[in-house]
Amino acid sequence: MSSKQKSEHDFVVVASRLPVDRIEDADGRTTWRTSPGGLVTALEPVMRETGGVWIGWSGDAGPAPGAFEADGLHLIGLGLSDTEVTHFYEGFCNATLWPLYHDVIAPPQFHRRWWEAYVTVNRRFAQATAEQAAPGATVWVHDYQLQLVPRMLRELRDDVRIGFFNHIPFPGYEIFAQLPWRRQVVEGLLGADLLGFQRRADATNFGRACRRAVGLTTRGSTVRVPEPGGHREIQAAAFPISIDAKGLEEMARRDDVRKRSWQIREALEEPGLVLLGVDRLDYTKGILHRLRAYGELLADGRLGPRVVLVQVASPSRERVEAYQTLRDEVEVMVGRINGQYGEVGYSPVHYLHQSYPREEMAALYLAGDVMLVTPLRDGMNLVAKEYVASRFDEGGTLVLSEFTGAADELAGAFLVNPHDIEGLKDTIVRAARTGPAEARRRMRAMRRRVREHDVARWAADFLDTLRRVPAGDQPDAEREIS
Ligand code: GDG
């Protein structure tokens, strides 16, 4: 145990990013504003109840902000140097693991110096966590940026209970096996007591990686990890993440938000049909496939006159090359479609490369007739769930890629394989032509699902399971796993 250990917090959240944004005021002083993401909403009550702490990076290169409070939450900001931002964050996280874990949609790059930075930064997170956790504390580590933290932390503090949740897919073994450091990554994760994934298929893929990369035995969701003189049994299972459905519905019902949604439709000047896409500008989201299908539908005239596609593509990872290339490709295609099918006073694509306040997002969701969520691969896709939660009017239809985690849950969606452009076109047409009674039936079923399985339930399910898994070493004699 580290001599610097402060042993303060019974609950520690460890995520690559802090749940706050840095704001410089006019006098150059730094203040912090909590960013209202789903994860914070879900974990805030637990954090407050337990006096928990959140450890993460502020998002800027430079010295560590250290311990501070924002809106009553205890936060510890860790620092990354310029080189670490390049090698760890933009490199190993966003140009190695992200494409690899999304079925190599873009080619992953493998560089030893990026891996070294990944190890260094993960160790920094593990050490900071070991210093903050009270004896027997519960630690919840998040996502692919921190896969080595569970084991590093266990080596420093074998008294804490460690959960890990992977927000992105865990790939099939043939793909995962490309990673030169596959064994270290699996062993890093196996330091946890409970590993959570979005879909059962991800947990199954992880089990296979344990068998193939490390030679372990698994049974169902249990992985048996040998330890000197005994073994540990770890659970790897699906915990599909969700959203603050109630909060979002309340926002969508607000007068100002509804008014804004009418204004949006008005600004589109009597559209025949409004299709909507909302994504980070990322190659996993299938934006090019969507645009291609839409362009062909305009050529065929199958969607009728004055159809518009509103496509929000919020800026993301702009210093990573694959993202710059994607932006160019998307913008060329948007320009081509508008050039070919637009008229004075009519643009078939409204492309918005901007970030919007949450209220504007809710208004957009209300203004869309057909929501297009067409990722080539996506751990869950919260946008699909947000659309459904916002539609208190039970209007609108959802076209949803089979390759999202959300497709396992949202049975009322029109499921589609985005690689199949003909199929995508037919599905968009079907979703657009659905009669109001059928659309309402589908929307109701999806809304029920999202309301009953919201982000608070997700967090409670994970933390309850983590509390129940047997922690620590077990003697070898008890039972055999085949
Ligand atoms: C990862 C996994 C998994 C987008 N533009 C704006 C904005 N957004 C918000 C959306 C939504 C979130 O960002 C995006 O969440 P997604 O789930 O769709 O996708 P990723 O960012 O790739 O998230 C994913 C998720 O983690 C959670 O586990 O579902 O599979 O890839 O909430 O609304 N929000 C605002 N302005 C924007 O312009 N305010």
Side-chain angles (χ1 to χ4, degrees):
M1 226 180 261
S2 151
S3 57
K4 272 168 62 194
Q5 187 196 323
K6 295 191 196 85
S7 300
E8 277 178 45
H9 300 282
D10 288 322
F11 182 54
V12 186
V13 175
V14 193
S16 66
R17 297 293 285 269
L18 287 172
V20 288
D21 296 319
R22 190 198 293 264
I23 299 164
E24 298 278 329
D25 69 15
D27 307 328
R29 271 186 314 231
T30 298
T31 54
W32 302 89
R33 191 174 50 203
T34 45
S35 40
L39 198 56
V40 201
T41 316
L43 298 181
E44 212 180 292
V46 195
M47 298 258 302
R48 288 191 201 283
E49 232 169 77
T50 57
V53 68
W54 185 307
I55 298 175
W57 172 48
S58 67
D60 301 311
F68 61 99
E69 286 199 11
D71 291 342
L73 294 180
H74 302 291
L75 308 171
I76 307 277
L78 302 185
L80 295 186
S81 68
D82 267 326
T83 312
E84 284 169 347
V85 173
T86 311
H87 290 181
F88 163 77
Y89 178 68
E90 291 163 0
F92 202 76
C93 293
N94 290 337
T96 306
L97 291 174
W98 181 267
L100 185 77
Y101 281 31
H102 288 89
D103 289 355
V104 300
I105 296 165
Q109 296 177 47
F110 302 116
H111 297 298
R112 283 164 282 187
R113 61 186 186 284
W114 290 2
W115 164 251
E116 283 156 21
Y118 189 73
V119 175
T120 305
V121 172
N122 271 251
R123 181 151 292 125
R124 189 170 309 147
F125 275 78
Q127 265 155 2
T129 310
E131 286 169 16
Q132 294 298 325
T138 296
V139 176
W140 193 356
V141 184
H142 287 266
D143 225 358
Y144 65 103
Q145 299 92 348
L146 301 176
Q147 295 174 104
L148 307 181
V149 168
R151 186 190 172 103
M152 289 173 168
L153 176 59
R154 183 168 294 282
E155 282 168 2
L156 294 166
R157 292 284 305 272
D158 63 5
D159 59 305
V160 297
R161 198 168 273 254
I162 306 171
F164 179 94
F165 184 76
N166 199 51
H167 289 253
I168 68 173
F170 196 90
Y173 189 68
E174 286 65 26
I175 288 177
F176 182 69
Q178 291 179 20
L179 185 67
W181 308 280
R182 61 195 186 197
R183 188 184 174 97
Q184 291 95 312
V185 165
V186 172
E187 287 176 346
L189 289 168
L190 288 172
D193 297 296
L194 173 65
L195 291 161
F197 296 90
Q198 300 277 26
R199 300 172 312 151
R200 280 174 63 176
D202 299 314
T204 307
N205 286 344
F206 177 72
R208 195 166 302 131
C210 291
R211 296 193 294 275
R212 302 279 300 273
V214 191
L216 299 180
T217 47
T218 64
R219 191 191 52 205
S221 58
T222 306
V223 186
R224 185 186 171 109
V225 184
E227 300 278 343
H231 69 273
R232 288 191 307 123
E233 282 189 358
I234 287 168
Q235 296 299 314
F239 294 85
I241 200 171
S242 194
I243 56 164
D244 175 16
K246 190 158 164 272
L248 191 54
E249 170 159 356
E250 276 165 14
M251 184 186 289
R253 282 182 184 273
R254 265 165 41 188
D255 284 348
D256 57 328
V257 172
R258 285 156 70 175
K259 206 163 138 207
R260 177 64 194 144
S261 84
W262 300 328
Q263 276 172 359
I264 291 170
R265 285 198 75 109
E266 252 168 45
L268 297 171
E269 296 192 352
E270 295 180 21
L273 174 73
V274 180
L275 307 180
L276 177 65
V278 171
D279 311 83
R280 277 188 308 100
L281 187 46
D282 193 295
Y283 49 79
T284 59
K285 303 293 182 184
I287 301 170
L288 289 170
H289 293 65
R290 191 181 311 164
L291 286 171
R292 162 172 281 202
Y294 180 60
E296 291 187 17
L297 283 171
L298 290 171
D300 300 344
R302 285 170 76 194
L303 291 173
R306 293 197 73 85
V307 50
V308 292
L309 167 63
V310 177
Q311 175 65 58
V312 174
S314 41
S316 184
R317 305 176 187 172
E318 293 184 285
R319 284 171 30 151
V320 179
E321 197 185 331
Y323 289 74
Q324 295 162 358
T325 311
L326 174 72
R327 181 176 175 188
D328 290 344
E329 287 170 352
V330 166
E331 292 181 356
V332 164
M333 206 146 165
V334 168
R336 218 171 259 163
I337 294 173
N338 280 338
Q340 200 160 350
Y341 303 106
E343 290 167 18
V344 174
Y346 166 63
S347 298
V349 186
H350 290 247
Y351 166 74
L352 305 161
H353 184 248
Q354 295 165 51
S355 271
Y356 291 97
R358 285 161 54 79
E359 285 79 359
E360 181 74 3
M361 307 288 281
L364 281 163
Y365 290 143
L366 284 179
D369 298 311
V370 181
M371 179 87 216
L372 303 179
V373 178
T374 60
L376 307 178
R377 181 55 82 197
D378 212 333
M380 175 52 62
N381 196 286
L382 297 181
V383 166
K385 292 188 171 180
E386 289 167 359
Y387 176 66
V388 166
S390 307
R391 295 308 298 244
F392 64 87
D393 61 347
E394 297 178 346
T397 49
L398 172 65
V399 171
L400 180 62
S401 163
E402 292 165 14
F403 304 118
T404 61
D408 285 1
E409 292 180 74
L410 300 181
F414 290 86
L415 293 186
V416 73
N417 168 5
H419 297 280
D420 169 12
I421 299 296
E422 282 309 317
L424 182 52
K425 285 162 60 181
D426 291 345
T427 310
I428 294 173
V429 171
R430 249 185 347 118
R433 289 191 187 153
T434 309
E438 160 86 356
R440 202 170 305 121
R441 187 183 62 73
R442 286 169 172 267
M443 185 53 84
R444 241 183 238 153
M446 294 192 286
R447 285 176 54 72
R448 198 177 316 122
R449 171 78 202 185
V450 173
R451 220 174 20 234
E452 286 169 7
H453 292 82
D454 67 356
V455 72
R457 176 160 172 187
W458 166 79
D461 280 352
F462 185 90
L463 291 171
D464 286 349
T465 312
L466 178 57
R467 226 165 277 135
R468 285 199 311 268
V469 290
D473 288 1
Q474 319 208 345
D476 258 339
E478 66 182 37
R479 63 190 154 140
E480 273 312 304
I481 295 182
S482 53

